[in-house]
Amino acid sequence: MALLSRLWRRSSPRVLRARGVARPAAVLLGVTAIAAAVVGVATPAQAAPFDIAVASGHTDFGAVKQGTVVTQRFDLLNTGDDDIRIDPSTLGLLTTPFTAGNFTFSSTDRVHHLGVASFTVSYTAPSAGTNSRQDITVAVTDADHTDTPISLVLSFQGQSLATDPAHFEIVGAPVHFGSVTVGKSTTQTITLVNDGIIPLRFKNSGISVVNTSGTPIPDVTISNSSFGDAGADYIPGASATFDLTYAPAGEETMSGVLRIVGTQATNDPEPPSVIVETALTGAATAVVPPTSPPTSPPTAPPTATPTPTPGTGGSGGAGSGGSGTGTGTGSSAGIGGSGGGTGGSSSADAQLASTGLATQSPVLIGAAATSLGAAVLLLALAYRRSVQRGRRR
């Protein structure tokens, strides 16, 4: 306030009145001017006579899948009051993986106030894991004055990846269920791996199984997902899982597509989607009725061998002694009868029975006995004759 009082006392009332300004108005104007001087009210900015800016285009191409070509358009805006000239020759010094082209200006062209000079730069991502950067200085001069040229530095850079920045892989794809009997089922666990550099979100509604015409396949169901209906986020390198069960209702050859939609985990209400598909196959066979084992023909029971009844031994016949007549004392020798009973059955009888001679044994025995008796009789007669000859001598 002391400063305001001193300034007011130094002001000439006569000058203010001479200008036809009333005392109250003069006081108000004086206070306003002093306040502006003390506070420092800024005056409207004026455009520099010589300036340039990059109006569009990003020199950082970010992460790009190897082999992919990304092109950016750059607009250089003359933001000064004077006309300018831009020398594009240094942009031609860009080397692989960057390439400049499509220039709309030359080094002799004038770019007027708020005029635009355009060109493009393409980035071809090299082998995965390569970080590229090149700095280019563009010279800008004032077309009407000899002011010091402006050096506009542009830093082009890019990072190559094995996949797209937002990408995931279906481990073990494609999915083959093989052959399944009707009425039974088989289940496979599907694993998803986020192999990009951007977090991804998965949810049950993003998984579908359709046939070649796009119709859902009812025999294949989804269960036990690690993300559920609400969904879950998976950072780069993380894995998500769910089960697919194939339960055919009838004989068929199933062929379809497993389609999985992941979204970038951002705050964007409509985040970009990442879609991966793989083939799905299976077959259903009919139930085979059990077959009965082959029936064997009945086996006849073995014929029992009759057990022989032990026989009763026979009694031998009595022999009668012969009598002789002649000189001297007669002597006679009785010839004992022989007879034999049939003994009991033995192992020899069993063997004989096995040869089929058992029924003929009585005949054979009788014949043998007759022959033996005849032999004994002949011996006895021969002996008697020899005795008689001896007596005659």
Side-chain angles (χ1 to χ4, degrees), residues 81-345:
D81 292 331
D82 297 344
D83 291 350
I84 60 174
R85 290 188 175 94
I86 305 171
D87 185 1
S89 62
T90 53
L91 291 170
L93 300 178
L94 283 172
T95 58
T96 305
F98 302 102
T99 305
N102 300 318
F103 296 97
T104 63
F105 61 97
S106 68
S107 59
T108 59
D109 292 337
R110 282 175 171 264
V111 180
H112 304 295
H113 171 62
L114 299 181
V116 173
S118 302
F119 64 95
T120 60
V121 173
S122 296
Y123 168 63
T124 304
S127 59
T130 303
N131 295 324
S132 305
R133 174 170 177 164
Q134 294 182 35
D135 295 334
I136 297 295
T137 300
V138 178
V140 183
T141 57
D142 192 316
D144 299 316
H145 303 86
T146 58
D147 294 341
T148 302
I150 295 176
S151 296
L152 178 63
V153 180
L154 302 175
S155 297
F156 300 99
Q157 54 188 321
Q159 177 187 6
S160 61
L161 301 175
T163 66
D164 291 320
H167 187 270
F168 66 92
E169 176 190 8
I170 303 175
V171 179
V175 180
H176 298 297
F177 286 109
S179 180
V180 181
T181 303
V182 174
K184 296 185 178 181
S185 65
T186 183
T187 299
Q188 290 194 25
T189 298
I190 308 301
T191 301
L192 311 177
V193 177
N194 181 354
D195 56 357
I197 61 172
I198 298 175
L200 296 176
R201 168 175 287 267
F202 299 107
K203 59 176 60 177
N204 285 345
S205 60
I207 304 174
S208 60
V209 178
V210 297
N211 57 25
T212 53
S213 60
T215 304
I217 300 177
D219 292 342
V220 180
T221 56
I222 303 166
S223 63
N224 301 325
S225 70
S226 61
F227 35 82
D229 293 334
D233 296 342
Y234 295 84
I235 62 174
S239 298
T241 60
F242 62 92
D243 288 345
L244 280 183
T245 299
Y246 176 44
E251 290 186 76
E252 65 177 359
T253 299
M254 186 268 293
S255 178
V257 175
L258 171 62
R259 187 173 189 265
I260 303 173
V261 179
T263 57
Q264 297 184 22
T266 66
N267 294 326
D268 189 340
E270 295 183 0
S273 298
V274 182
I275 301 174
V276 177
E277 296 181 345
T278 187
L280 189 79
T281 61
T285 57
V287 178
V288 179
T291 56
S292 301
T295 303
S296 300
T299 303
T303 303
T305 303
T307 303
T309 303
T312 303
S315 57
S320 57
S323 60
T325 59
T327 304
T329 303
S331 64
S332 63
I335 300 173
S338 64
T342 303
S345 177

